Amino acid sequence: MGIGALLALAGSAFLGSSLQRISGMGFALVASPFLVLALGPYEGIMLVNFLGACSAALIFLQVFRQVEYRKIGLLLLPAIVMTIPGAWVAGHLGSGWLNVMIAALVLLALSLSFAIRNLPVAQSRALAVSAGALSGFMSVTAGVSGPAIAGYAVATRWPQAKFAISVQLYFLVLATASLVAKGGMPQLSGPAWIACLIAMVLGITAGNLLAAKINPAYSRAVVIVIALAGALSLLFSGITQLAA
């Protein structure tokens, strides 16, 4: 890996980890385009899963006393179960159709999250199970598990500060489960691993400084924008691949 690629990798890790600390999510959206381009869809997504797990772990170690474990557990069980069929689909279905399908599901989920937020179903276990299942499937197939959880947070009116903290445990466990489901680890050189680790520590440090100064309403808006951007980028990528 050349110097330019190494700097781009470190930059992606820095931006992704700082954004994840501020808003609760966003690492995959920032990092996956470069990593998929550099390593291909399968290896690239595997590295997104691994680095996302590392970033979430570093944040979780700082905030574990404030995590809402019961709510996260309800989301995690169906998410982990769905990594198994997701891994099979990732290995057999063309990435173009897969990206289009996932993008459509995310856009639908985000739209419904605003429509049902004042209805009783928004607080039901069925919604939590559905959101977790969709997120788990997306994690192992596209490396982007956040949009479905963002929709759930909007629908249930999950306070932004508590969401940003609690969801780190979710991303940590789910990214690890996705790696296990794929049965492998990403391959990087020693300098690349060191650059990623240093960049993530610096990014989280920057995020810690900024998180306390940003209005929660703005942070929630960032979460929604990230979710939409992730879905639209997947849709564009899928359409481009199908048209090629």
Side-chain angles (χ1 to χ4, degrees), residues 30-41:
V30 172
S32 60
F34 167 75
L35 297 179
V36 169
L37 181 63
L39 303 175

Side-chain angles (χ1 to χ4, degrees), residues 16-27 52-64 67-68 72 76 149 158 160-176 204:
S17 57
S18 60
L19 183 59
Q20 186 163 331
R21 176 61 187 94
I22 293 169
S23 67
M25 53 184 281
F27 185 93
C54 291
S55 179
L58 290 172
I59 298 172
F60 173 71
L61 290 174
Q62 301 177 64
V63 299
F64 68 92
V67 172
E68 296 183 83
I72 291 299
L76 265 177
I149 299 302
W158 197 346
Q160 173 59 29
K162 294 182 178 180
F163 167 78
I165 289 171
S166 298
V167 81
Q168 300 312 313
L169 175 61
Y170 178 86
F171 288 139
L172 168 60
V173 175
L174 184 56
T176 302
I204 292 170

Side-chain angles (χ1 to χ4, degrees), residues 62-102:
Q62 301 177 64
V63 299
F64 68 92
R65 291 185 180 88
Q66 304 169 56
V67 172
E68 296 183 83
Y69 289 96
R70 180 173 296 182
K71 185 175 288 190
I72 291 299
L74 189 59
L75 292 166
L76 265 177
L77 183 58
I80 292 172
V81 170
M82 285 304 293
T83 61
I84 299 173
W88 184 90
V89 171
H92 292 81
L93 187 64
S95 58
W97 284 112
L98 185 60
N99 286 345
V100 170
M101 178 184 68
I102 290 174

Side-chain angles (χ1 to χ4, degrees), residues 124-150:
S124 68
R125 288 192 175 187
L127 182 63
V129 170
S130 299
L134 177 58
S135 177
F137 182 82
M138 289 177 60
S139 175
V140 75
T141 53
V144 182
S145 59
I149 299 302

Side-chain angles (χ1 to χ4, degrees), residues 196-216:
C196 284
L197 180 60
I198 293 174
M200 282 192 294
V201 171
L202 292 176
I204 292 170
T205 301
N208 284 335
L209 295 174
L210 293 172
K213 300 178 180 180
I214 297 177
N215 189 303

